[in-house]
Amino acid sequence: MPRLFTMKEQQAEITLADPDPAWSVDAVLHFYANTYPLLTTAKVSGPVIDNDAVQYRFESLMGTKG
């Protein structure tokens, strides 16, 4: 099944393509952190299988308290 990666930047929901299916989820997170700096402190949630795809969500820890 294909993998999809999503993240929220400001109010927009962004879907990121899988750069390489052989990469681990953490490797994909670090790859996209070069483009989206808020991912440098993000955590991964998932996987959730939906619409014949495995979906992971990158959730930024920036701006959260506690």
Side-chain angles (χ1 to χ4, degrees):
M1 276 194 271
R3 300 186 301 177
L4 294 176
F5 300 92
T6 60
M7 61 175 275
K8 191 170 190 175
E9 185 175 40
Q10 297 174 353
Q11 299 301 323
E13 190 74 25
I14 299 171
T15 301
L16 306 169
D18 191 351
D20 188 337
W23 289 0
S24 70
V25 175
D26 287 331
V28 174
L29 175 64
H30 293 302
F31 173 79
Y32 279 114
N34 291 322
T35 305
Y36 300 99
L38 66 103
L39 293 180
T40 58
T41 60
K43 67 175 185 149
V44 179
S45 64
V48 174
I49 297 174
D50 189 30
N51 295 327
D52 294 327
V54 180
Q55 298 182 2
Y56 295 90
R57 182 166 185 80
F58 297 147
E59 298 176 351
S60 175
L61 300 176
M62 296 283 291
T64 60
K65 293 183 179 180

